């Protein structure tokens, strides 16, 4: 059984709230009586993309489980690389940060959907070509989970929908060519959500630092977008021996 913990939007910013909540989530994972296949963090790692924030994030996110992390709209590709992927020395520090984990019986392709200087997302042509090659190089009996920060569909969350991943028809066309692309995993929305994209599950991890206020929870037009009183949460994606994906969501006590 393959179990991947999916954490998102820790937004480390030097304040106690983000640090305490991230520490609580990682402590919970560290204390599990089970070795996870990976801890996947889908972006918005450092709230302002500074080296100091990444130094704290690196420490907090390191556990006994393998760590996989991609940038979000709050991240800075160059600072992210330097702190979290020091062994990587790209020719261009601002090239997209794309990574693949080839585990026993599964593959995670982690795509950079961030656009430097912008809040909305897009998979650059270079990233789509890279993803196409990863899928083509993977035998069809292996499930491939494709992860990124920005969900490529609206989630009925007006504030987030405006800054979702755009250009998604290119990703849908790519998915049509690769039947072993099992599911899409995303963050960014700060709410645990499940929908579909290109005929596959699209599973959105909740935010660690805060939760989004959904339109039907909103008491008035001037209410803030965020809920600060809900606990941090995460997702567990489980791949069974038959390759079928099941997702569980958990809250964590700080
Ligand atoms: Fe975020
Ligand atoms: Fe985000």
């Amino acid at each position: 059984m393959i179990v991947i913990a999916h954490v998102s939007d820790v937004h480390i910013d030097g304040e106690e709230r983000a640090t305490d909540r991230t520490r609580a989530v990682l402590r919970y994972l560290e204390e599990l009586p089970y070795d996870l296949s990976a801890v996947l963090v889908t972006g918005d790692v450092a709230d302002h993309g500074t080296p100091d924030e990444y130094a704290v994030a690196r420490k907090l996110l390191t556990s006994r489980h393998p760590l996989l992390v991609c940038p979000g709209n709050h991240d800075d590709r160059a600072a992210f690389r330097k702190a979290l992927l020091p062994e990587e020395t790209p020719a261009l520090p601002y090239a997209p940060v794309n990574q693949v984990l080839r585990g026993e019986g599964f593959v995670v392709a982690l795509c950079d959907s961030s656009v430097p200087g912008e809040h909305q997302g897009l998979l650059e042509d270079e990233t789509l070509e890279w993803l196409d090659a990863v899928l083509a190089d993977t035998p069809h009996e292996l499930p491939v989970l494709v992860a990124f920060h920005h969900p490529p569909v609206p989630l009925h969350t007006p504030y987030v929908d405006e800054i979702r991943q755009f250009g998604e028809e290119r990703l849908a066309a790519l998915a049509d060519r690769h039947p072993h692309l099992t599911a899409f995993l995303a963050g960014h929305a700060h709410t645990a959500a499940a929908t579909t994209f290109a005929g596959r599950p699209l599973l959105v991890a909740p935010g660690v630092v805060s939760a989004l206020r959904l339109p039907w929870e909103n008491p008035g037009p001037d209410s803030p977008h965020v809920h600060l009183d809900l606990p941090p949460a995460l997702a567990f994606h489980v791949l069974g021996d038959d390759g079928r994906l099941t997702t569980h969501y958990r809250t964590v006590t700080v």
Side-chain angles (χ1 to χ4, degrees):
M1 188 169 64
I2 293 151
V3 183
I4 297 170
H6 183 185
V7 174
S8 203
D9 294 84
V10 295
H11 286 264
I12 298 300
D13 59 358
E15 302 291 328
E16 275 181 14
R17 179 187 173 85
T19 304
D20 290 351
R21 289 167 73 103
T22 305
R23 187 181 292 118
V25 169
L26 268 292
R27 189 191 309 127
Y28 165 67
L29 296 177
E30 184 71 35
E31 290 174 357
L32 288 175
Y34 188 89
D35 293 332
L36 298 168
S37 296
V39 174
L40 168 67
V41 183
T42 48
D44 284 353
V45 173
D47 199 45
H48 308 94
T50 66
D52 287 354
E53 291 173 347
Y54 285 117
V56 174
R58 185 188 164 105
K59 221 169 146 190
L60 288 172
L61 295 174
T62 301
S63 73
R64 67 190 169 88
H65 312 292
L67 176 66
L68 263 180
V69 52
C70 75
N73 51 303
H74 282 257
D75 289 298
D76 176 275
R77 285 175 174 176
F80 177 101
R81 269 201 172 90
K82 207 168 174 186
L84 299 172
L85 302 168
E87 66 287 352
E88 226 202 62
T89 49
L92 300 166
Y94 280 96
V97 184
N98 299 316
Q99 305 160 78
V100 62
L101 172 67
R102 294 189 180 278
E104 186 122 350
F106 74 101
V107 172
V108 179
L110 197 49
C111 302
D112 187 346
S113 63
S114 72
V115 179
E118 307 279 342
H119 283 297
Q120 83 274 14
L122 180 87
L123 297 181
E124 294 180 23
D125 289 344
E126 171 183 340
T127 297
L128 286 168
E129 284 162 23
W130 171 86
L131 178 59
D132 205 25
V134 168
L135 285 155
D137 290 346
T138 304
H140 278 198
E141 56 274 18
L142 283 184
V144 181
L145 304 175
V146 174
F148 33 60
H149 182 64
H150 299 77
V153 293
L155 299 171
H156 309 285
T157 52
Y159 173 69
V160 173
D161 292 351
E162 288 164 23
I163 53 169
R164 69 177 176 90
Q165 183 188 137
F166 293 97
E168 71 279 10
E169 61 288 340
R170 297 142 62 240
L171 177 61
L174 183 153
D176 286 347
R177 297 197 294 276
H178 299 287
H180 54 324
L181 196 171
T182 303
F184 298 99
L185 312 176
H188 188 50
H190 293 223
T191 186
T195 182
T196 57
F197 174 71
R200 273 77 164 187
L202 166 61
L203 302 158
V204 181
V208 168
V209 75
S210 63
L212 185 73
R213 193 183 292 278
L214 299 169
W216 50 94
E217 294 177 318
N218 204 338
D222 298 326
S223 305
H225 295 301
V226 293
H227 251 313
L228 293 172
D229 50 352
L230 295 178
L234 74 153
F236 287 113
H237 304 299
V238 185
L239 281 165
D241 294 339
D242 55 1
R244 199 165 53 83
L245 179 69
T246 304
T247 296
H248 297 264
Y249 289 101
R250 270 288 176 275
T251 56
V252 172
T253 304
V254 180

